[in-house]
Amino acid sequence: MGLNKKSVDDINAKGRRVLVRCDFNVPLKNGEITDETRIVAALPTIQKLIKDGGKVILCSHLGKVKNGPNEGESLAPVAKRLSEKLGKEVKFVADYNVTGEAATAAVAAMNEGDVVLLQNTRFRGAEETKNGEAFSKELADLCDDYVCDAFGSSHRAHASVAGVTEEVRKKGGSCVVGYLMQKEIEFLGNAVENPVRPFVAILGGAKVADKLNVINNLLEKCDTLIIGGGMAYTFLKAKGYEVGLSLVDNEKIDYCKEMMEKAEKNGKKLLLPIDTVVSAGFPDPIDNPNIETAIVPSNAIPADKEGLDIGVETRKLFGDAVKSAKTVVWNGPMGVFENPVLAEGTKAVAKALAETDATTIIGGGDSAAAVNQLGFADKMSHISTGGGASLEFLEGKELPGVVSADDK
């Protein structure tokens, strides 16, 4: 899935109103931003457009906004932090309507190089429904050109991601991708479609159901598929092992058998945990360090114990597989990494990736959080900003935010 899409380098923004869909879905605590990774990731595209003399209009969602617009999910803290990062005022339009009179007036008053941030796009209600058509048109009315730089939202066919592009094109405007989108597509696209081999894919996380198509697609692309985390226990049960109280998706046991057969038939290695860290139950609270654990072989998990991390031998097995790789994609932790006692498996995999010369790509979500939390982020080739989007990309799906950009 090559890029072949126009980027911000292909447009002349001088004097033009450019709407940029960013991913400012940042974590907030008492109105303060606790992780600014996504804001920092958006800066190169914004700075390029400012430098070129564009009138830069930014939009994004934040949170799930289940109970209607509220100050707790306003983008006001983002505007403040962005102003500090850019060294210039980012004018925030607080209007819950997002594209109403206040937004129109703010855009009309812009000079070249000015930056305006609209209110949370989800305050307008379901962006993907009929309501989205009017919203798409209103967003397009505010701009001349459109830039999608929100990889984390690019798998959603929402008004501010895909719908707006049709309306901008009707006016003769360009629809391109930003630098962050370009980087995401190039890293993930090359890894899946044109990897330097050996190509090792590592999948973790809780449920097999979340990654059905990813497993299937990666088994056709990679040389070795490593499976850890909660989803490994369904595979172990499919092999006929006793898994005790471990997380198992009984409806997916036959699927796991099929995948193991597919791996064998296609000459691919499929690695599962050979030993497991077990405890009497899931830690409560999740980060409670006072839990008793033991390491047992994966084919001998006691009936009254739950597997919560990969064991010492498995860490070595997975680490050795990574050492020989030239391309590694990792999505999903190896255990309950939020707990210091159960983070060792995830830490060992992160360390193995940090020490290899391979191109290492972390597929967003919990894997990105784990790598950041454990201090290995600067050792990775690329950390995706989109969990759901990177998963769909690894499935081989087309993403609306990518498809709707102009072809080169």
Side-chain angles (χ1 to χ4, degrees), residues 70-332:
N70 65 90
E71 279 307 297
E73 290 172 304
S74 165
L75 283 173
V78 174
K80 183 167 171 272
R81 187 66 62 90
L82 261 178
S83 298
E84 292 163 7
K85 294 275 177 202
L86 292 169
K88 65 182 298 168
E89 186 200 359
V90 172
K91 183 171 173 50
F92 179 56
V93 181
D95 180 12
Y96 284 0
N97 187 50
V98 189
T99 51
E101 287 176 19
T104 306
V107 170
M110 291 177 87
N111 294 312
E112 291 183 8
D114 282 356
V115 184
V116 163
L117 173 63
L118 304 179
Q119 185 54 282
N120 188 338
T121 57
R122 297 230 171 130
F123 282 7
R124 272 295 289 266
E127 272 200 76
E128 71 280 11
T129 60
K130 262 299 198 200
N131 164 53
E133 290 178 18
F135 190 28
S136 296
K137 186 168 186 328
E138 287 165 33
L139 285 166
D141 286 344
L142 292 174
C143 70
D144 302 306
D145 299 303
Y146 170 78
V147 178
C148 185
D149 209 22
F151 183 72
S153 301
S154 64
H155 59 312
R156 304 191 185 283
H158 287 179
S160 63
V161 176
V164 63
T165 61
E166 294 172 31
E167 301 297 334
V168 169
R169 268 194 209 95
K170 282 179 193 170
K171 301 163 48 169
S174 296
C175 299
V176 302
V177 296
Y179 290 136
L180 176 61
M181 282 281 283
Q182 198 173 15
K183 189 178 173 206
E184 293 272 15
I185 297 161
E186 282 172 3
F187 267 101
L188 283 162
N190 283 334
V192 177
E193 298 302 332
N194 193 23
V196 180
R197 297 187 183 278
F199 171 27
V200 174
I202 308 168
L203 293 178
K207 298 177 189 159
V208 174
D210 293 345
K211 300 196 174 147
L212 292 178
N213 298 329
V214 181
I215 296 167
N216 196 16
N217 192 42
L218 285 178
L219 270 179
E220 290 171 13
K221 314 280 187 187
C222 70
D223 301 296
T224 300
L225 179 61
I226 293 174
I227 292 184
M231 61 194 288
Y233 300 104
T234 305
F235 276 87
L236 293 171
K237 188 163 184 184
K239 287 185 78 129
Y241 296 169
E242 167 62 62
V243 294
L245 304 173
S246 307
L247 186 69
V248 167
D249 187 343
N250 286 308
E251 290 179 10
K252 297 292 178 281
I253 287 173
D254 285 343
Y255 173 83
C256 291
K257 286 178 182 170
E258 274 174 44
M259 290 302 107
M260 290 189 282
E261 284 164 15
K262 179 173 180 169
E264 195 171 341
K265 189 175 152 204
N266 292 1
K268 307 294 173 82
K269 276 189 190 162
L270 196 156
L271 300 182
L272 295 169
I274 51 175
D275 61 346
T276 300
V277 178
V278 297
S279 186
F282 202 84
D284 184 21
I286 197 167
D287 57 355
N288 175 21
N290 303 314
I291 57 164
E292 284 186 27
T293 61
I295 296 179
V296 300
S298 293
N299 61 357
I301 297 172
D304 61 346
K305 293 285 189 280
E306 180 175 1
L308 297 168
D309 192 16
I310 55 172
V312 176
E313 293 303 315
T314 304
R315 291 167 209 165
K316 187 176 178 310
L317 175 73
F318 290 2
D320 286 347
V322 165
K323 276 177 199 161
S324 65
K326 287 283 185 280
T327 306
V328 186
V329 171
W330 178 22
N331 187 291

